[in-house]
């Protein structure tokens, strides 16, 4: 092996660093169990340490100011605070360094509270010894710290919206209103999605068709929105803030290809309606319809008059809830959320058309949550009858000999009586299923949940973000929900896009993997382990070597140990730093063990 | 424009809105009414359906919020009013509530809350456990800073003319900090033992407990801590400030002079008291008989001064103030008191058997009075001197002691009523409405008595309309009643014509004000000779010991300022908050447990024979019980423990609310919701049955920062085996005016069901529900998971809960799944799944243009489908549960939607719906 030139050669001797060490009492949390003065004294003569002091609360405003003064007055170029977990205050002290004009990445937090004082409350000597080791170790790491700076890159002020339903269209307007150009790609020849097919919706009675029309009118008013129909997203390259996407436009004269730079992508591809199996609750029989079919039937009925199906008057309707939802293991386990209220609302529309139509709702739990409870109450007030069936005793549908349909159900609400309802129409209250969209999933690397819907990065706190930076999901492609909720999610994705792009640049932590091109032999092994696909092979000095894209690298360090020639270092946690830190820790612990042996056993 | 956006409320909706807007580059002002950001979410145990620890996912959000360079967070502040300008921007008035803690100095170390002597229900623990009046909101608070909960000045403190923190020493006594309680008294005066006996206790008149069963025995508690200190401690244990090099002369060693000396000496001044008499103490020593105020108590109190190096020169009457000043003092305080008896010009008043009351008491106090065995003593006068003289005469063996008073009835006497009743109980006879016209000569004189004239001299009047002493203007009845007797035989006549201020000392230099007092400014107590101050009765005319103490303390502070060259104008000695009203205090306590009031035991015998103290001290138990009755009117008791112990010197009792006006471009209302008050469903027994709790309380019992270290039932601390949940408590219920579904209760119940089964593996968990509303991503699967873990779900409403003698609860419910019968089941603990209620605080936010609300008082969203979060006011948006029931993820999405439109508004693009509004 040829002699390697130490990368740090030009650097000053690490022992000439000027490091300030602050040992925090944490108001007794540390000092009650650790001899903090002894720690301070042990660090005073440590090479490179210029200040070693204890503080009642290192995090307090006052001490922060003292630190800033010390950094400036004593020309400190490294800072170590021995206190709590870095999760709590790493940002705090990096900011202190920043404010004092010191490189924030020359700050190291030694977690001596969780790792020593709390863990060894009954062994003051041992805890103190351990703290000395941890602080020396942090100093060692700091001595070898490099000056690092956040990675800053410009962001493209344009977002791509995939899907031209109500969610996507509203999101596009939201983007444009904030000053981000919006490009909508819709697979179908027409925009509007499911909402564009239907009339009155709950709870405001606004027509879905009208809502889509109003959105399209507003889109026409805005120069910053482009809508492509019969179009598909077909390629994606680049990284968050700077994606390059390819769009294929299916046109009569053949496909056209389009390339665009976008900063973020909002996926709003919607859902498919559950398609019952043949024979499922009598599906396939004349007079058994799904919820979307029924809604179209209502839309075509006169405002007031008669409801008819296939030319026959409808005098009675039975709704069977949870079709395609809450199916238990092996089926669709999830609840489709919108369907209870949608069915209830449909029954109210029927009631308006012809109040004499008898309506029966066969349900398991009525999930008319929040203000939708009012719709549920209204439908009961309008004469709808509700019958509850047990999860394991679903109703059955059969043709009656005299014509019409018979629905048999055991009603829990009337002491489990079996009832046969003769009705003209059976509405299967069908839920939502995930739309089949494998090419898009592969292209965007969208995570898909066990239920088949797209998964967010955190279902509670980050509901529109995915693990892919800059790719958002909104609406029913993520989970069943109402149109209004989908619009909310679409706008939330707009807000998230703006939070990422609006400043015009983005900053990333510089704690990323770096490849030493002199050492790299181009084995490509690191490429296989990178979960973020941040490593690519590039041509360098006439040979192929690996290269890390710092804008997508998360600094996980997975590639570092895999490199056979030690060509990869993690900035901020370099091999040299970690080795030095470990050596300090080991050498500090050794005497404790020796002493422990000498102590008499009591 | 000061900020682009104002966000009101820092729950998860407010934080999400603020962070997103700040990330976009907008300047955000976030106003939070509590001392920490985080709202309700940070208080939860875990969240559904992920079972993430709420702290772990909400903590970093809180930290991001407060540290964001584009967010200015005002915690512990409230938005007073928002008004919309013609240009579409908003003027906002923010009240930064006084925290009484300097947050720049506070390190969040929590010493103050450990030292605090007041406990109040902890709103951050759903009132399951107490918190302190000095508190950090909760362990993960951001910012982690303390505040002092002060509702006002406690009435007892407000009533004290001596400036003693009565509430403070009561609360310290309650917590067993007797020495600290004594020291708190010492902050005002060295005369702690004396006031513990001789104060008329105006504090007790103010005591809110007095509106219930009877006052807290505040004076007796003071006596208890004083006695305890003098029995156990050595010296006062106080430190004086560094010497200032200034010296002050005080004339008179009564309560005012002694208190002034104490205060000045603590401030580092050299103090010399000039006392005309042979011993120090003024009326305390010479006037009040030992059976009411033992002389060793006075001596112990006076000895406190020795420790500070105060020199008392006795037999040192001052006749020339200027000469005294010129002998080397920087300032002089006249505290000579009301030491002169008024002139009495009745014929025969100079007879040999006539003695002055004051002289008689002085001799008796010095054990130099002659025995009066078998003698008939008549005391002329109706003031405290008269009563004391008559009672002293009985103790010296007098066969009878008769008081002749001009007052028409006991209440009109110039003494405190208790002084009269005690005297009467000891056998003193009082003849009312009678004046002595002439005293005959001879050893057994005959007093000629006449009806008291209508213009009989009025007795001492209270100052400033205060009612702490018995005023006697009632004696000036329009028509004089007939005297009871026309003549009396007496062997000894004691004359008590009343006390007055001797003005000869100061008349020339300072001038004489009305009521023969020194002409001094009533606030600054400074005379026209700038170096000359007055204190006590010399400044006010005849008053009480406690007032004299207060006056001495005031004079000392004024002299201290004078010596430091500071202005006296506008200086407020005790800057107090407004006094807490009884109604407010009683309203704050959900229920007040009856306590028999603790009162002093005074032993009164007819014709007592000795001078032993008549009032028995409180036992330690009585002191505890008595102080335990305190209702903590002002919340903070001003016991000063936090101020004394704070390592950062951050406590600042002088802080006051601060109003700030800012202009913003848009507003996000994220004030959240309230929870249904479960006691509005009396059939469930919440508030009556201790083992019926709300789900928020259960969340606290399950949280990592829980108040007890396990799940237990509050009634008896038992770990429950059978736990029932009752869904829809206060939701879907027209009987309580809320037909709406609260959406999150089913899910949080299922979450808690799972957590309980984890925490208490043997417990049975049953939920009584109407419809299981597990509608949301992975919610149904979460419900199934709970069923698989063994939770029971019974469809049907609960009609009634009754408590069994052992605290268990009998739940009567309908079992729909099994035939619909009425069933009863017994549980150890019942958890009410309380629903959401609107936070109607939003109604106060907007002035001229009120914020539109829906019929259930949630913020209305006129075009909820396409412009969610948009309100009726352009530029005002709503995020989260202010607009209706939402769970956390709904709130985050709703906030995101609101934020997108806020940004659009700020960029002057308006979505159609908003354009329609403009």
């Amino acid at each position: 092996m040829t002699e390697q030139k130490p990368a740090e050669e030009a650097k000053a001797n690490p022992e000439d660093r000027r490091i300030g060490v602050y040992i925090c009492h944490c108001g007794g949390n540390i000092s009650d169990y650790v001899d903090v003065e002894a720690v301070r004294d042990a660090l005073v003569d440590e090479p490179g340490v210029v200040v070693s002091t204890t503080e009642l609360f290192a995090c307090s405003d006052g001490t922060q100011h003292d630190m800033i003064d010390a950094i400036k007055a004593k020309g400190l170029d490294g800072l170590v605070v021995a206190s709590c977990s870095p999760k709590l205050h790493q940002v705090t002290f990096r900011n202190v360094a920043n404010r004092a004009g010191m490189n924030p990445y020359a700050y190291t937090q030694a977690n001596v509270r969780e790792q020593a004082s709390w863990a060894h409350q009954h062994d003051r000597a041992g805890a103190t010894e351990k703290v000395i080791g941890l602080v020396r170790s942090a100093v060692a790491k700091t001595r070898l710290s490099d000056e690092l700076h956040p990675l800053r890159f410009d962001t493209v002020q344009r977002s791509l919206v995939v899907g031209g339903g109500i969610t996507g269209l509203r999101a596009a307007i939201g983007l444009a209103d904030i000053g981000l150009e919006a490009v909508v790609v819709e697979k179908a020849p027409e925009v509007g999605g499911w909402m564009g097919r239907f009339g009155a919706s709950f709870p405001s009675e606004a027509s879905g068709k009208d809502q889509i029309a109003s959105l399209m009118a507003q889109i026409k008013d805005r120069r910053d929105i482009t809508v492509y129909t019969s179009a598909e997203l077909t390629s994606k390259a680049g990284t968050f803030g700077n994606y390059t996407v390819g769009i294929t436009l299916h046109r009569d004269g053949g496909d056209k290809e389009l390339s665009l730079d976008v900063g973020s992508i909002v996926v709003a591809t919607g859902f498919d309606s559950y398609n019952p199996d043949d024979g499922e609750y009598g599906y396939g029989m004349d007079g058994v319809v799904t919820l979307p079919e029924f809604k179209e039937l209502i839309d075509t009925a006169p405002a007031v008059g008669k409801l008819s199906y296939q030319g026959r008057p409808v005098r009675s309707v039975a709704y069977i809830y949870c079709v395609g939802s809450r199916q238990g293991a092996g089926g669709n386990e999830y609840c489709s959320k919108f369907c209870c209220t949608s069915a209830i609302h449909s029954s109210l529309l029927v009631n308006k058309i012809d109040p004499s139509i008898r309506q029966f709702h066969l349900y398991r739990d009525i999930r008319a949550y929040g203000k939708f409870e009012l719709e549920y109450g209204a439908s009961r007030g309008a004469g709808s009858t509700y019958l509850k069936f047990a999860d394991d005793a679903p109703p059955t549908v059969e043709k009656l000999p005299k014509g019409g349909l018979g629905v048999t159900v055991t009603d829990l609400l009337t002491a489990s009586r079996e009832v046969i309802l003769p009705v003209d129409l059976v509405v299967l209250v069908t839920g939502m299923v995930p739309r089949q969209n494998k090419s898009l999933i592969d292209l965007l690397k969208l995570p898909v949940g066990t239920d088949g819907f797209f998964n967010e990065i955190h279902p509670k706190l980050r509901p529109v973000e995915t693990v892919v930076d800059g790719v958002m999901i909104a609406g029913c492609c993520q989970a069943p929900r109402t149109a209004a909720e989908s619009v909310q999610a679409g706008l939330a994705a707009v807000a998230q896009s703006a939070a990422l792009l609006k400043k015009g640049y983005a900053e990333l932590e510089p704690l990323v993997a770096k490849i030493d091109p002199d050492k790299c032999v181009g084995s490509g092994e690191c490429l296989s382990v990178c979960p973020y696909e941040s490593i690519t092979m590039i041509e360098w000095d006439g040979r192929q070597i690996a290269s890390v894209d710092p804008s997508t690298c998360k600094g996980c360090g997975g590639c570092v140990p895999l490199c056979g020639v030690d060509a990869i270092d993690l900035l901020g946690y370099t091999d040299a730093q970690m080795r030095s830190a470990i050596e300090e820790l080991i050498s500090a612990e050794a005497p404790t063990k020796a002493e422990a042996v000498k102590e008499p056993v009591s | 424009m000061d900020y682009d956006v104002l966000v009101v409320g820092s729950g998860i909706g407010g934080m999400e809105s603020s962070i997103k807007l700040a990330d976009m580059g907008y300047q955000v002002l976030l106003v939070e009414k509590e001392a920490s950001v985080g709202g309700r979410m940070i208080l939860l145990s875990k969240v559904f359906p992920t079972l993430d620890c709420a702290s772990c996912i909400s903590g970093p959000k809180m930290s991001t919020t407060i540290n964001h360079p584009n967010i200015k967070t005002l915690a512990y502040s409230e938005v007073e009013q928002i008004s919309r300008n013609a240009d579409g921007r908003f003027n906002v008035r923010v009240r930064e509530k006084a925290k009484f803690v300097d947050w720049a100095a506070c390190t969040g170390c929590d010493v103050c809350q450990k030292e605090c002597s007041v406990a109040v229900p902890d709103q951050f623990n759903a009132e399951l456990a107490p918190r302190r009046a000095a508190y950090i909101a909760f362990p993960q608070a951001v910012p982690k800073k303390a505040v002092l909960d002060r509702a006002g000045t406690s009435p007892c403190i407000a009533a004290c003319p001596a400036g003693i923190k009565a509430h403070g020493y009561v609360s310290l006594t309650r917590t067993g900090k007797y020495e600290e309680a004594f020291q708190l008294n010492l902050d005002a005066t060295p005369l702690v033992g004396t006031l513990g006996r001789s104060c008329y206790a105006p504090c007790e008149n103010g005591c809110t407990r007095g509106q219930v069963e009877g006052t807290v025995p505040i004076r007796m508690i003071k006596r208890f801590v004083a006695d305890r200190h003098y029995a156990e401690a050595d010296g006062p244990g106080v430190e004086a400030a560094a010497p200032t090099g200034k010296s002050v002369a005080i004339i008179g060693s009564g309560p005012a002079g002694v208190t002034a000396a104490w205060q000045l000496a603590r401030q580092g001044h050299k103090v010399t008291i000039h006392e005309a008499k042979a011993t120090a103490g003024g009326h305390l020593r010479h006037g009040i008989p030992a059976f009411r105020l033992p002389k060793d108590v006075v001596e112990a109190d006076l000895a406190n001064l020795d420790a500070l190096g105060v020199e008392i020169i006795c037999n040192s009457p001052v006749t020339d103030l200027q000469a005294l000043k010129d002998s080397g003092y920087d300032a002089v305080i006249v505290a000579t008191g009301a030491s002169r008896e008024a002139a009495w010009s009745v014929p025969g008043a100079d007879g040999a058997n006539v003695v002055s009351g004051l002289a008689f008491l002085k001799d008796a106090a010095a054990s130099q009075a002659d025995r009066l065995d078998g003698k008939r003593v008549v005391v002329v006068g109706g003031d405290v001197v008269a009563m004391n003289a008559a009672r002293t005469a009985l103790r010296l063996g007098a066969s009878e002691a008769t008081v002749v008073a001009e007052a028409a009835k006991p209440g009109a006497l110039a003494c405190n009523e208790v002084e009269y009743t005690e005297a009467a109980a000891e056998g003193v006879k009082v003849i009312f409405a009678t004046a002595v016209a002439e005293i005959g000569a001879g050893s057994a004189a005959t007093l000629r008595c006449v009806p008291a004239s209508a213009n009989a001299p009025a007795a001492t009047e209270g100052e400033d309309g205060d009612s702490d002493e018995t005023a006697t203007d009632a004696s000036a009845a329009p028509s004089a009643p007939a005297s009871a007797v026309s003549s009396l035989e007496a062997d000894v006549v004691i004359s008590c014509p009343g006390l007055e201020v001797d003005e000869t000392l100061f008349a020339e230099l300072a001038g004489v004000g009305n009521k023969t007092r020194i002409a001094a400014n009533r606030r600054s107590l400074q005379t026209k000779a700038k170096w000359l101050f007055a204190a006590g009765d010399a400044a006010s005319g005849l008053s009480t010991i406690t007032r004299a103490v207060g006056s001495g303390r005031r004079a000392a502070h004024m002299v201290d300022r004078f010596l430091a060259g500071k202005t006296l104008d506008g200086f407020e000695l005790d800057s107090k908050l407004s006094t807490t009203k009884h109604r407010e205090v009683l309203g704050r306590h959900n229920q007040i447990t009856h306590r028999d009031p603790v009162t002093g035991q005074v032993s009164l015998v007819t014709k007592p024979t000795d001078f032993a103290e008549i009032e028995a001290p409180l036992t330690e138990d009585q002191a505890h019980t008595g102080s335990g009755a305190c209702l903590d009117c002002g919340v903070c008791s001003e016991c000063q423990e936090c101020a004394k112990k704070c390592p950062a010197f951050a406590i600042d009792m002088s802080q006051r609310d601060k109003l700030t006006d800012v202009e913003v471009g848009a507003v996000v209302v994220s004030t959240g919701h309230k929870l249904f008050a479960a006691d509005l469903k009396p059939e469930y027994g919440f508030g009556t049955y201790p083992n019926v709790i709300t789900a928020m309380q259960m969340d606290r019992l399950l949280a990592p920062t829980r108040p007890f270290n396990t799940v237990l039932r509050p009634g008896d601390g038992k770990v429950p085996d059978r736990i029932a949940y009752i869904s829809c408590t206060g939701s879907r219920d027209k009987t309580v005016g809320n037909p709406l579904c609260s959406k999150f209760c089913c899910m949080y119940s299922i979450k808690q069901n799972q957590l309980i089964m984890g925490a208490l593996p043997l417990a049975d968990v049953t939920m009584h529900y109407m419809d299981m509303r597990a509608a949301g991503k992975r919610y149904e699967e979460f419900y199934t998971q709970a069923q698989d873990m063994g939770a029971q779900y019974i469809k049907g409403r609960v009609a009634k809960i009754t408590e069994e003698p052992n605290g268990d609860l009998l739940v009567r419910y309908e079992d729909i799944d099994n035939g619909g019968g009425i069933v009863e089941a017994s549980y150890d603990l019942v958890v009410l799944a309380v629903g959401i209620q609107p936070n109607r605080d939003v109604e106060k936010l907007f002035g001229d243009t009120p914020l539109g609300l829906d019929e259930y008082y949630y913020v209305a969203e006129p075009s909820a489908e396409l412009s969610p979060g948009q309100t009726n006011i352009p530029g005002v948006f709503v995020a989260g549960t202010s607009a209706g029931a939402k769970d956390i993820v709904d709130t985050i999405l709703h906030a995101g939607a609101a934020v997108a439109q806020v940004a659009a508004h700020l960029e002057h693009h308006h979505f159609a719906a908003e354009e329609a509004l403009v």
Side-chain angles (χ1 to χ4, degrees), chain B residues 41 123 145 173 334 342 402 422 459 590 632 636 803:
Chain B
M41 180 180 168
Q123 71 267 43
K145 305 281 182 188
T173 305
V334 175
T402 307
E422 286 186 7
N590 294 334
D632 294 314
C636 166
E803 191 182 46

Side-chain angles (χ1 to χ4, degrees), chain A residues 170 204 367 373 460 496, chain B residues 20 48 772-773 865-866:
Chain A
R170 180 65 183 94
S204 76
R367 293 187 169 171
E373 179 75 17
K460 210 74 190 171
Q496 183 60 28
Chain B
K20 286 285 181 298
F48 59 81
M772 191 56 73
R773 296 202 160 157
E865 270 103 344
L866 293 180

Side-chain angles (χ1 to χ4, degrees), chain B residues 194-419:
Chain B
T194 299
L195 289 179
R197 290 163 171 87
S198 298
C199 178
Y200 294 135
C203 47
E204 295 180 6
N205 291 338
C207 179
T208 305
R209 195 90 203 187
Q211 312 283 311
V212 193
E213 315 91 343
T215 175
V216 173
I218 307 177
R219 177 182 58 81
M220 294 290 287
I221 289 167
K222 188 201 301 281
R223 177 180 160 184
F224 170 80
V225 298
D227 290 356
R228 193 146 180 130
H229 170 85
Y230 290 132
E232 290 175 359
D234 192 17
V238 296
E239 286 176 13
T244 59
K246 305 277 186 186
S247 32
V248 181
I250 295 171
I251 306 162
S253 63
V258 161
T259 301
W262 171 255
Q263 292 287 345
L264 285 164
R266 286 182 77 167
Q267 287 152 350
H269 306 298
K270 171 96 184 72
V271 184
T272 309
I273 299 179
H274 295 269
E275 168 57 51
K277 293 202 173 69
T279 46
H283 286 316
L284 306 180
R285 186 189 290 272
H286 308 298
I288 305 176
F291 60 86
R292 293 186 58 211
L293 176 59
K295 298 307 133 188
D296 58 342
V297 172
V298 178
E299 270 156 27
D301 281 349
L302 291 174
N304 289 324
L305 291 170
D306 300 344
L308 293 184
V310 173
E311 191 185 359
I312 306 181
I313 307 175
C314 291
N315 297 313
S316 172
V318 173
T319 50
D320 184 340
L321 289 170
Q322 186 66 53
L324 178 71
K325 155 84 165 73
D326 294 344
S327 70
Y329 293 109
D330 300 294
V332 175
I333 299 176
V334 175
T336 46
S339 53
R340 187 173 71 189
E341 282 191 313
W344 198 42
S345 54
V346 172
D350 53 354
N353 54 355
V354 181
V355 296
S356 109
L358 219 46
F360 173 70
L361 288 174
K362 175 169 173 278
D363 288 347
S367 307
Q368 289 165 352
D370 297 331
R371 293 290 302 174
L372 297 169
D373 295 314
K375 292 190 171 159
R376 295 163 300 173
V377 175
V378 172
V379 181
V380 185
D383 64 354
V384 61
V385 178
M387 296 301 155
N388 285 340
R391 296 170 76 182
T392 300
L394 287 178
R395 282 172 172 79
L396 290 171
S399 61
E400 52 189 62
T402 307
V403 172
V404 180
E406 298 189 13
K409 54 184 181 182
L413 289 167
C415 66
N416 189 288
E417 191 164 351
V418 77
E419 286 159 353

Side-chain angles (χ1 to χ4, degrees), chain A residues 27 56-57 59-62 87-88 91-92 95 166 170 173-174 176-179 201-206 211-212 214-215 218 222 224 326 333-335 337 363-374 376-377 380 388 391 412-416 449-451 453-456 458-465 473 477-481 483-485 487-489 491-492 494-496 498-500 502-503, chain B residues 12 16 19-20 22-26 41 47-50 52 57-58 61 63 67 103-110 145 647 732 739-743 769-781 783-784 787 795 816-820 854-856 858-859 861 864-868 883-890 892-894 896-901 903-905 907-913 915:
Chain A
L56 186 58
F57 286 104
C59 59
S60 70
D61 251 24
K87 277 188 132 177
L88 214 59
V91 174
T92 310
N95 285 341
I166 193 165
R170 180 65 183 94
I173 295 169
D177 284 351
I178 295 180
S201 63
F202 63 90
S204 76
E205 305 302 327
Q211 288 184 36
I212 296 295
S214 135
L215 290 172
Q218 292 185 59
R222 285 166 171 77
D224 292 347
R326 301 181 67 191
E333 292 184 54
Y334 56 86
C335 159
K337 195 178 184 189
Y363 74 100
R364 292 161 71 186
D365 290 287
I366 289 294
R367 293 187 169 171
Y369 53 88
K371 291 173 187 171
F372 299 152
E373 179 75 17
L374 298 174
Y376 179 32
R380 281 176 297 163
K388 179 178 160 74
D391 294 355
L412 295 175
L413 299 181
T414 48
S416 301
T450 48
D451 55 11
F453 291 95
F454 298 153
N455 264 359
E456 57 291 306
H458 190 283
K460 210 74 190 171
L461 285 187
R462 298 169 75 182
V464 297
E465 296 164 73
I473 50 177
C477 65
Q478 184 184 9
R481 48 173 62 128
E485 288 163 353
V487 166
Q488 282 180 35
L491 286 169
V494 168
Q496 183 60 28
L500 294 174
K502 194 79 175 72
K503 275 186 301 196
Chain B
I12 186 65
E16 183 70 17
I19 295 169
K20 286 285 181 298
D23 281 349
M24 290 181 205
Y26 298 112
M41 180 180 168
V47 294
F48 59 81
T50 51
D52 280 311
I57 60 174
S58 155
K61 271 247 152 153
S63 181
N67 291 314
W103 273 16
C106 176
T107 61
C109 72
D110 93 346
K145 305 281 182 188
R732 305 179 66 188
L740 304 180
C741 159
S742 295
K743 185 160 199 253
Y769 72 102
M770 290 169 66
D771 287 289
M772 191 56 73
R773 296 202 160 157
K777 184 160 180 170
R778 281 174 231 166
Y779 291 2
E780 175 70 15
E781 295 88 328
Y783 173 38
T784 310
Q787 289 171 301
K795 182 171 167 79
I816 290 175
D817 291 329
N818 295 299
D854 68 16
E855 61 179 311
Y856 299 99
Y858 292 101
V859 177
E861 299 168 87
E865 270 103 344
L866 293 180
S867 299
K886 285 174 189 65
D887 60 25
I888 292 169
V889 66
D890 293 340
I892 288 180
L893 289 172
H894 194 244
V899 158
Q901 296 167 91
H905 178 82
E907 299 296 320
H908 299 290
H909 292 280
H910 301 293
F911 186 69
E915 278 166 4

Side-chain angles (χ1 to χ4, degrees), chain B residues 498-711:
Chain B
L499 301 176
E500 61 184 28
V501 176
D502 181 353
E503 77 284 7
T504 51
L505 176 65
F506 52 76
E508 190 183 337
L509 194 63
V512 181
N514 63 358
K515 290 213 290 185
T516 342
R517 58 178 191 88
I518 193 167
N521 180 292
R522 288 181 90 101
R523 289 196 80 73
S524 69
L525 301 176
Q526 193 179 35
T527 69
K528 65 185 179 188
K530 297 291 176 208
W531 49 269
L532 183 64
F533 292 75
D537 289 356
S540 64
L542 180 63
S543 181
T544 67
I545 298 170
T546 315
R547 284 183 180 283
V549 165
S551 172
R553 177 169 168 266
R554 168 174 293 272
H557 282 275
M558 295 299 171
V559 168
D560 180 57
R561 290 184 70 82
F562 167 73
L563 294 175
K566 294 178 190 161
T567 176
L568 308 185
D569 292 339
F571 168 66
E572 259 192 274
L573 177 52
D574 295 301
S575 168
K576 289 175 183 165
L577 303 178
S578 59
T579 308
T580 322
K581 301 268 187 295
H582 296 318
R583 191 164 20 97
E584 182 197 328
V585 177
L586 295 172
R588 197 196 300 145
H589 290 263
N590 294 334
Q591 51 193 42
I592 296 174
T593 315
H594 176 86
R595 284 167 182 262
D596 288 327
V598 173
T599 52
Q601 289 298 313
V602 180
S603 89
L604 296 167
V605 295
T606 315
K607 298 217 174 160
T609 54
D610 62 32
F611 284 85
E613 186 168 16
I614 55 171
E615 186 180 55
L618 294 184
T619 63
E620 188 170 358
D621 277 353
Q622 287 176 310
H624 262 276
T625 315
S627 53
C630 175
L631 293 169
D632 294 314
C633 302
V635 185
C636 166
S637 73
E638 303 184 47
C639 75
Q640 310 297 320
E641 282 301 285
C642 56
K644 287 174 182 165
K645 305 280 169 58
C646 174
F649 306 104
I651 308 294
D652 177 6
M653 299 293 275
S654 70
Q655 267 190 15
R656 292 296 178 265
D657 290 3
K658 190 175 126 198
L659 292 173
T660 313
D661 291 320
V662 293
E663 194 189 43
V664 302
V667 178
V668 175
V669 175
S670 50
T671 46
H673 60 276
K674 295 198 183 303
L675 289 171
F676 177 71
D679 54 355
L680 295 176
K681 290 289 286 179
E683 60 269 41
Y684 293 162
F686 179 78
T688 312
Y689 307 148
N691 297 329
V692 177
I693 64 173
T694 67
M696 190 64 205
Q697 291 180 316
M698 179 53 91
D699 240 297
R700 290 307 305 156
L701 288 173
L702 289 162
T705 53
R706 53 192 167 185
F708 318 114
N709 209 18
T710 183
V711 175

Side-chain angles (χ1 to χ4, degrees), chain A residues 555-572:
Chain A
C556 71
C559 53
V560 177
L562 212 80
C563 179
V565 295
D566 283 347
I568 316 181
D569 234 346
L570 192 59
L571 297 180

